[in-house]
């Protein structure tokens, strides 16, 4: 809590601005008492409509847009997480625009010279200071290097990193407050989400990582003549400046130019789909922002992919789980699909597996057991995400980005050729994966992996036993039991032992003939035995009411 207070004090002015905007849009319920409804009602949008009357999705978008770069980026990431925020909010957040005023000439020169410690004139023969585009993090300019190469230069906005770092710290503080005071949102681990968001945003602020992503993709597609990734000039690129090849072409969304160039749009769509599916299923690393502005038709006829600031990598474990999920989808097996959904996602403790399997079974019948052309992939994926959201499951971030890419890919390909289906294109990959899992090589690999895990257990077993023995000897070995109604069980156990002891004691007194006697029977022994029998009878009656020894009611 002290850390939160310190963060708030360090950024008190900005924190106050953020809270003011959140209250303005009715998004800060924890300060509602100090800001009654009549205060919120005075806030209106540009058309004079009261903000309180707008949907929460619209208010969230407007608030993020007003709060600037970090919040816009957060909104753009949340737009890919319909499993967390729901489809309505996710769709609304896709409308967030990140246009930012471009830096002036002196700021651009200062940023570039500071980055390389060299005079601006030694780097570029000519430089157009009119930005081609200016987004939230940086701006793009045309230039010519000193050796005459036409290039595009991406320059980070001056001071943007410090502003984003400050906002991220405040977001972490707000996330911790949400976890502390909102039980419902706590299930989605907002602090973890903000940590992942911070990592993604910091990667986007580091143009060196973007350059590496472009080089990695370029190397992978080096033998594919149908696709081209811009060349990066690493000797004049750094963390805040990225210099790359200037591609000559136009966006796949420009229908007039496509027609004028007589482009085979079906072949173009098929190439684009295959490129992305190869990245996802073979490379395990993919370009995560395939909107039409980033996909170009080049003068050479190749497909060009721009802006590699947002990428995602599938770890081997996640990739394997997703492959199993895809195979289960191809097999249309509800039970297997449910199992792999739970394995892939982060399940909540109170997950109703029976109800989840029923929803998955309905999903299979409604969306998978029909002709693939009858149901668009977008509808299939949106329904899948709705089920995930309904059962409060949390998809790994990279998988949610993958699903978003598939949805965007489906939309872009339909614009080029309405008969194209990403679902049809995925099917061969699913078959390939299924066959791979049945191959001797895969079986051997899995056996070796299991063998290695068991070997690790066996190797560490002596050490663990030695540690356990030391804890027992030192009196530091504790066993913690957590059992419902444990007090009742212990009481019954003690009651049973005492009842049995009294009954057996009475029997011993009877058999010993302890006086006084009546017709040769010990009166004391008879009384003790009767008391023991009564106590045992009460215990058996209590057990019969709550459940017998062989079966619970």
């Amino acid at each position: 809590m002290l850390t939160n207070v310190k963060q708030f004090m360090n950024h008190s002015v900005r924190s106050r601005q953020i809270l003011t905007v959140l209250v303005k849009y009715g998004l800060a319920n924890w300060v509602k008492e100090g800001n009654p409804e009549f205060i919120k009602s005075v806030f209106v949008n540009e058309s004079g409509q009261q903000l309180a009357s707008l949907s929460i999705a619209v208010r969230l978008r407007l608030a993020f847009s007003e709060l600037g770069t970090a919040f816009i980026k957060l909104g753009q990431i949340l737009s890919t997480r319909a499993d967390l925020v729901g489809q309505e909010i996710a769709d609304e957040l896709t409308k967030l625009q990140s246009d930012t005023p471009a830096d002036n000439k002196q700021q651009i020169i200062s940023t570039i010279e500071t980055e390389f410690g060299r005079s601006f004139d030694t780097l570029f023969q000519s430089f157009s200071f009119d930005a081609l585009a200016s987004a939230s993090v940086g701006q793009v300019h045309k230039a010519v290097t000193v050796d005459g190469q036409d290039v595009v230069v991406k320059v980070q906005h001056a001071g943007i990193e410090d502003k984003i770092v400050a906002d991220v710290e405040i977001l972490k503080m707000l996330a911790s407050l949400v976890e502390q005071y909102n039980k419902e949102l706590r299930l989605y681990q907002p602090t973890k989400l903000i940590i992942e968001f911070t990592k993604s945003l910091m990667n986007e602020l580091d143009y060196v990582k973007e350059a590496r992503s472009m080089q990695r993709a370029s190397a992978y597609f080096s033998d594919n003549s149908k696709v081209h990734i811009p060349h990066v000039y690493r000797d004049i690129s750094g963390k805040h400046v990225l210099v790359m090849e200037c591609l000559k072409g136009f966006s796949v969304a420009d229908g007039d130019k496509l027609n004028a160039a007589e482009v085979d749009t079906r072949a173009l769509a098929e190439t684009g789909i295959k490129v992305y599916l190869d990245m996802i299923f073979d490379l395990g690393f993919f370009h995560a922002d395939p909107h039409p502005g980033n996909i170009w038709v080049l003068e050479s006829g190749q497909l060009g992919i721009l802006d590699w600031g947002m990428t995602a990598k599938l770890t081997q474990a996640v990739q394997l789980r997703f492959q199993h999920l895809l195979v289960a989808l191809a097999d249309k097996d509800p039970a297997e699909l449910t199992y792999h959904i739970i394995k892939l996602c982060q399940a909540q403790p109170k997950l109703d597996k029976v109800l989840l399997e029923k929803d998955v079974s309905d999903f299979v019948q409604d969306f998978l057991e029909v002709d693939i052309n009858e149901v668009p992939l977008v509808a299939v994926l949106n329904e899948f995400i709705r089920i995930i959201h309904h059962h409060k499951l949390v998809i790994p971030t990279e998988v949610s980005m993958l699903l978003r890419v598939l949805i965007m890919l489906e939309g872009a390909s339909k614009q080029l050729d309405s008969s194209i289906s990403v679902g049809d294109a995925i099917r061969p990959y699913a078959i390939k994966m299924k066959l791979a899992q049945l191959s001797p090589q895969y079986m051997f690999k899995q056996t070796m992996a299991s063998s290695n895990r068991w070997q690790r257990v066996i190797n560490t077993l002596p050490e663990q036993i030695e540690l356990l023995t030391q804890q027992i000897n030192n009196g530091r070995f504790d066993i913690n039991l957590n059992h419902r109604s444990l007090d009742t069980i212990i009481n019954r156990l003690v009651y049973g032992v005492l009842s049995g002891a009294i009954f057996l004691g009475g029997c011993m007194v009877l058999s010993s003939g302890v006086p006084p006697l009546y017709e040769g029977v010990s009166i004391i022994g008879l009384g003790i035995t009767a008391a023991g029998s009564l106590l045992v009878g009460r215990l058996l009656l209590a057990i019969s009411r709550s459940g017998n020894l062989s079966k619970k009611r």
Side-chain angles (χ1 to χ4, degrees):
M1 196 62 171
L2 288 175
T3 303
N4 292 339
V5 173
K6 183 179 178 182
Q7 287 176 346
F8 191 90
M9 294 302 294
N10 287 342
H11 311 290
S12 58
V13 175
R14 179 57 174 164
S15 297
R16 200 158 42 243
Q17 290 174 347
I18 291 171
L19 286 176
T20 300
V21 172
L22 292 178
V23 171
K24 171 182 174 181
Y25 289 97
L27 300 171
N29 293 331
W30 63 87
V31 291
K32 189 175 181 180
E33 290 183 3
N35 298 272
E37 291 297 327
F38 78 87
I39 291 180
K40 287 190 286 186
S41 68
V42 304
F43 294 113
V44 296
N45 61 13
E46 295 176 355
S47 61
Q49 184 180 10
Q50 289 185 359
L51 297 178
S53 67
L54 300 174
S55 70
I56 187 171
V58 173
R59 284 184 279 131
L60 198 60
R61 174 178 60 80
L62 292 172
F64 281 2
S65 182
E66 188 169 329
L67 287 170
T69 301
F71 286 84
I72 290 172
K73 288 294 182 184
L74 174 61
Q76 290 172 341
I77 288 177
L78 288 177
S79 72
T80 71
R81 300 306 306 266
D83 59 305
L84 295 181
V85 300
Q87 198 62 50
E88 181 187 358
I89 292 177
D91 289 343
E92 186 66 32
L93 292 179
T94 59
K95 302 175 184 177
L96 278 169
Q97 300 296 319
S98 55
D99 293 339
T100 304
D103 289 354
N104 59 41
K105 178 179 178 179
Q106 291 306 316
Q107 288 173 316
I108 295 168
I109 292 174
S110 176
T111 299
I112 293 174
E113 289 186 340
T114 301
E115 182 73 16
F116 301 111
R118 293 166 56 185
S119 169
F120 183 83
D121 294 334
T122 65
L123 297 168
F124 300 104
Q125 188 182 115
S126 66
F127 195 100
S128 174
F129 290 98
D130 293 328
L132 295 173
S134 180
S136 54
V137 172
Q139 55 198 60
V140 180
H141 299 263
K142 278 190 174 184
V144 179
T145 62
V146 289
D147 57 357
Q149 298 294 324
D150 289 332
V151 295
V152 169
V153 184
K154 194 173 181 180
V155 184
Q156 199 167 109
H157 292 308
I160 192 66
E161 187 170 354
D162 292 337
K163 293 178 183 177
I164 287 176
V165 168
D167 278 2
V168 163
E169 288 187 8
I170 297 171
L171 278 169
K172 288 179 180 177
M173 177 196 70
L174 293 176
S176 67
L177 289 174
V178 167
E179 282 199 357
Q180 188 173 354
Y181 295 112
N182 192 311
K183 292 181 180 180
E184 182 71 17
L185 293 178
R186 190 184 304 156
L187 296 172
Y188 295 107
Q189 299 179 311
T191 299
K192 182 180 177 182
L193 178 66
I194 294 300
I195 290 173
E196 290 181 352
F197 159 68
T198 301
K199 181 180 177 181
S200 173
L201 191 50
M202 290 300 111
N203 285 341
E204 196 168 345
L205 286 170
D206 188 350
Y207 290 165
V208 172
K209 292 185 177 179
E210 182 174 349
R212 288 174 184 159
S213 296
M214 294 171 71
Q215 289 180 314
R216 181 179 180 185
S218 183
Y220 178 76
F221 289 112
S222 59
D223 295 331
N224 189 335
S225 61
K226 295 181 179 180
V227 63
H228 182 74
I229 314 297
H231 172 72
V232 178
Y233 295 84
R234 289 297 300 271
D235 57 328
I236 49 174
S237 293
K239 183 177 180 181
H240 304 101
V241 180
L242 178 62
V243 181
M244 56 196 136
E245 174 189 2
C246 180
L247 299 183
K248 292 179 173 57
F250 52 89
S251 166
V252 294
D254 195 329
D256 292 337
K257 290 184 178 179
L258 286 172
N259 292 332
E262 298 182 348
V263 174
D264 184 342
T265 53
R266 180 177 180 83
L268 183 66
E270 289 174 345
T271 297
I273 291 171
K274 188 174 189 313
V275 164
Y276 272 89
L277 296 184
D278 282 348
M279 281 193 282
I280 292 168
F281 296 114
D282 293 339
L283 184 59
F285 162 84
F286 56 93
H287 179 269
D289 194 19
H291 68 75
N294 288 336
I295 312 297
W296 278 25
V297 179
L298 305 183
E299 289 181 354
S300 60
Q302 294 173 298
L303 187 77
I305 303 178
L306 289 67
D307 194 353
W308 289 77
M310 186 183 294
T311 58
K313 179 182 179 182
L314 299 175
T315 64
Q316 189 173 7
V318 170
Q319 193 173 17
L320 184 61
R321 287 172 185 168
F322 185 75
Q323 287 178 1
H324 284 306
L325 183 71
L326 198 62
V327 170
L329 278 167
D331 289 343
K332 304 172 186 176
D333 185 338
E336 190 73 4
L337 186 54
T338 303
Y339 172 79
H340 288 298
I341 287 173
I342 295 172
K343 290 285 288 182
L344 179 67
C345 300
Q346 175 187 312
Q348 305 301 341
K350 295 182 180 180
L351 174 67
D352 189 332
K353 295 181 181 179
V354 175
L355 186 57
L356 174 61
E357 184 169 341
K358 180 181 180 302
D359 286 347
V360 171
S361 181
D362 292 341
F363 167 76
V364 168
Q365 290 180 7
D366 294 341
F367 291 91
L368 302 183
E369 292 184 350
V370 295
D371 190 314
I372 191 70
N373 294 317
E374 292 181 15
V375 183
L377 180 68
V378 173
V380 176
L381 293 178
N382 284 338
E383 176 61 16
F384 179 77
I385 292 171
R386 188 201 64 78
I387 292 172
I388 297 295
H389 178 65
H390 176 72
H391 290 276
K392 294 182 170 61
L393 296 167
V394 180
I395 305 176
T397 300
E398 57 270 35
V399 176
S400 71
M401 293 178 76
L402 187 157
L403 295 177
R404 173 178 175 267
V405 165
L406 292 178
I407 290 172
M408 293 179 72
L409 203 58
E410 174 84 353
S413 62
K414 289 291 185 185
Q415 284 185 346
L416 292 171
D417 190 309
S418 59
S419 65
I420 291 286
S421 169
V422 174
D424 280 336
I426 289 177
R427 188 174 294 171
Y429 290 88
I431 295 172
K432 179 182 175 182
M433 290 172 195
K434 188 172 183 178
L435 292 175
Q437 291 175 13
L438 297 174
S439 69
Q441 293 90 339
Y442 179 82
M443 299 292 185
F444 178 75
K445 185 178 179 180
Q446 290 297 100
T447 303
M448 290 301 297
S450 298
S451 175
N452 290 336
R453 286 194 290 269
W454 277 110
Q455 189 65 43
R456 283 196 295 271
V457 172
I458 293 170
N459 289 341
T460 58
L461 192 58
E463 183 181 343
Q464 296 297 324
I465 293 174
E466 183 181 359
L467 179 62
L468 181 62
T469 305
Q470 289 175 355
Q471 289 178 338
I472 294 173
N473 291 336
N474 296 333
R476 292 186 290 109
F477 179 70
D478 296 323
I479 298 178
N480 297 316
L481 295 176
N482 183 13
H483 198 289
R484 294 181 180 179
S485 305
L486 190 59
D487 290 342
T488 303
I489 293 172
I490 292 174
N491 289 341
R492 285 188 179 181
L493 180 62
V494 172
Y495 187 95
V497 171
L498 290 176
S499 301
I502 292 171
F503 180 79
L504 289 174
C507 292
M508 291 176 68
V509 172
L510 272 174
S511 63
S512 300
V514 176
L517 303 174
Y518 178 75
E519 294 186 359
V521 178
S522 172
I523 295 175
I524 295 175
L526 185 62
I528 295 173
T529 303
S533 298
L534 179 63
L535 293 173
V536 170
R538 288 189 61 189
L539 177 62
L540 292 174
L541 181 62
I543 292 173
S544 68
R545 286 174 176 172
S546 61
N548 58 40
L549 296 176
S550 61
K551 182 180 179 181
K552 289 185 178 181
R553 282 195 294 186

